[in-house]
């Protein structure tokens, strides 16, 4: 049940971005008031305009996205390390679940204490996986409102796109969904055990991104494409699942060889008698 609660939480957070993104409609300018409009949305727009080489807003969004992703890189790296540590603790977590299998309050209290002690000893934060999503929420909201509420960006174009309108050829929503799936799938490949909620998220999130890309500004879809493509490259560089799987296989092989060696040492073979 907890797995599905986490799934619903993550989906709800993504939906909340777009509910809140639609709250403001008035044009944004230097004379705008309020912390959100004047100091966040306005300066996001100014940053995009500054990065818009040759006045091309699409290039500005791409460069702005890359800058944001580089700034968030330490946080994403922390998330990756935390998730990997959590996965490595799965065998010990299973042992605790078996030890405290009873559902009575006292047993469950002891289980939670042992679980927290295990996490603390290994420096693991089980909620770290949600942190990057929470950080990116205001960024996506501010980016969307910058594109839709700042006149210079609202009228911007890039290649075949009017950045304030949905992509008429659906190319960006499809690419955004593909890169979202690739990023989440590569991450799940490094998991020791892939639970049901993670498998569902691998498919639900790309579908949600695609469906929202059908109606929202193509500038936001462009952000998703670049951000998730960056995420794919980051995963392959910092948390390569193919390398992790190979290291795990080698570790298991070495452990089995050690166990066989210890077994031989305990039970030495009798010398065979020579056949006449």
């Amino acid at each position: 049940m907890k797995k599905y609660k986490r799934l619903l939480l993550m989906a709800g957070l993504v939906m909340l971005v777009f509910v809140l993104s639609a709250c403001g409609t008035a044009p944004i300018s230097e004379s705008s008031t309020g912390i959100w409009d004047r100091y966040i949305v306005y300066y996001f727009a100014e940053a995009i305009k500054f990065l818009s080489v040759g006045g091309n807003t699409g290039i500005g969004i791409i460069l702005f996205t890359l800058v944001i992703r580089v700034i968030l890189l330490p946080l994403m790296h922390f998330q990756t390390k935390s998730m990997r540590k959590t996965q490595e603790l799965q065998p010990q977590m299973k042992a605790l679940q078996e030890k405290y299998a009873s559902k009575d309050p006292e047993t469950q209290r002891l289980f939670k204490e042992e679980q927290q002690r295990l996490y603390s000893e290994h420096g693991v934060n089980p909620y770290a996986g949600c942190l990057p999503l929470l950080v990116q929420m205001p960024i996506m909201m501010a980016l969307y409102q910058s594109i839709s509420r700042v006149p210079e960006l609202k009228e911007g174009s890039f290649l075949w796109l009017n950045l304030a309108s949905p992509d008429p050829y659906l190319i960006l929503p499809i690419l955004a969904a593909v890169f979202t799936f690739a990023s989440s799938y590569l991450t799940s490949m490094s998991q020791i055990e892939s639970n049901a909620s993670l498998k569902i998220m691998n498919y639900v999130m790309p579908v949600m991104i695609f469906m929202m890309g059908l109606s929202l500004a193509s500038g936001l879809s462009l952000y998703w494409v670049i951000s998730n493509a960056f995420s794919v490259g980051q995963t392959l560089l910092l948390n390569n699942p193919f390398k992790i799987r190979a290291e795990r296989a080698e570790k298991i092989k070495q452990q089995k060889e050690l166990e066989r060696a210890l077994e031989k040492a305990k039970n030495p073979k009798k010398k065979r008698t020579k056949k006449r």
Side-chain angles (χ1 to χ4, degrees):
M1 189 65 184
K2 290 181 179 179
K3 295 175 182 177
Y4 289 99
K5 284 182 179 178
R6 185 179 178 186
L7 170 64
L8 292 173
L9 173 63
M10 293 181 71
L13 287 173
V14 174
M15 292 301 297
L16 181 63
V17 172
F18 303 102
V19 173
L20 295 177
S21 295
C23 290
T25 56
I28 296 291
S29 66
E30 192 174 1
S31 59
S32 296
T33 57
I35 295 175
W36 176 256
D37 287 355
R38 177 65 181 85
Y39 295 103
I40 299 178
V41 177
Y42 173 75
Y43 282 112
F44 263 53
E46 289 298 301
I48 293 171
K49 286 191 282 186
F50 176 77
L51 295 169
S52 297
V53 179
N56 192 314
T57 306
I59 293 176
I61 291 174
I62 291 172
L63 293 177
F64 178 80
T65 303
L66 292 174
V67 169
I68 292 296
R69 291 296 305 199
V70 169
I71 292 173
L72 292 178
L73 194 58
L75 176 62
M76 302 300 288
H77 186 48
F78 167 76
Q79 176 208 18
T80 298
K81 288 171 64 179
S82 181
M83 288 176 64
R84 189 170 177 182
K85 284 182 180 179
T86 303
Q87 278 295 308
E88 298 295 340
L89 292 178
Q90 285 306 303
Q92 290 155 275
M93 279 298 301
K94 275 194 171 183
L96 286 178
Q97 289 169 355
E98 291 173 1
K99 181 180 178 181
Y100 300 101
S102 178
K103 298 300 180 183
D104 64 275
E106 180 61 21
T107 302
Q108 288 302 300
R109 184 185 67 78
L110 292 172
F111 169 72
K112 288 180 180 178
E113 287 180 359
E114 289 291 331
Q115 183 185 43
Q116 289 300 320
R117 186 179 295 110
L118 182 65
Y119 284 150
S120 179
E121 287 175 357
H122 292 84
V124 170
N125 183 349
Y127 301 104
C130 296
L131 187 58
L133 179 62
L134 293 174
V135 171
Q136 288 188 75
M137 277 181 63
I139 294 173
M140 288 191 289
M141 290 165 57
L143 178 63
Y144 177 78
Q145 292 202 4
S146 297
I147 296 168
S148 60
R149 297 176 63 193
V150 175
E152 298 93 329
L153 300 184
K154 191 172 182 179
E155 298 168 2
S157 60
F158 180 64
L159 300 176
W160 68 93
L161 301 166
N162 175 357
L163 293 172
S165 302
D167 182 352
Y169 303 113
L170 308 184
I171 295 174
L172 287 186
I174 291 171
L175 287 176
V178 168
F179 282 122
T180 300
F181 175 77
S183 176
S184 59
Y185 183 74
L186 286 171
T187 300
S188 68
M189 281 180 64
S190 62
Q191 308 295 311
I192 295 176
E193 292 183 1
S194 185
N195 58 51
S197 63
L198 185 59
K199 288 180 179 178
I200 293 172
M201 287 300 293
N202 284 345
Y203 295 97
V204 170
M205 287 301 295
V207 172
M208 289 178 61
I209 293 292
F210 175 76
M211 295 302 294
M212 289 184 288
L214 297 179
S215 57
L216 294 177
S218 57
L220 191 58
S221 293
L222 182 60
Y223 168 82
W224 279 328
V225 170
I226 303 303
S227 181
N228 287 318
F230 186 97
S231 183
V232 169
Q234 173 188 296
T235 300
L236 291 173
L237 181 65
L238 300 179
N239 194 41
N240 191 310
F242 304 102
K243 183 179 178 181
I244 290 172
R245 283 186 167 187
E247 288 174 352
R248 264 190 206 133
E250 182 63 26
K251 188 176 180 181
I252 292 171
K253 181 182 176 182
Q254 291 176 356
Q255 187 173 0
K256 287 182 177 179
E257 289 176 352
L258 179 60
E259 288 174 356
R260 282 197 295 265
L262 291 172
E263 187 65 26
K264 287 180 180 179
K266 289 179 181 178
N267 304 298
K269 291 182 179 180
K270 294 180 180 180
K271 294 182 180 180
R272 295 180 180 178
T273 56
K274 292 182 180 180
K275 294 183 180 180
R276 292 182 179 179

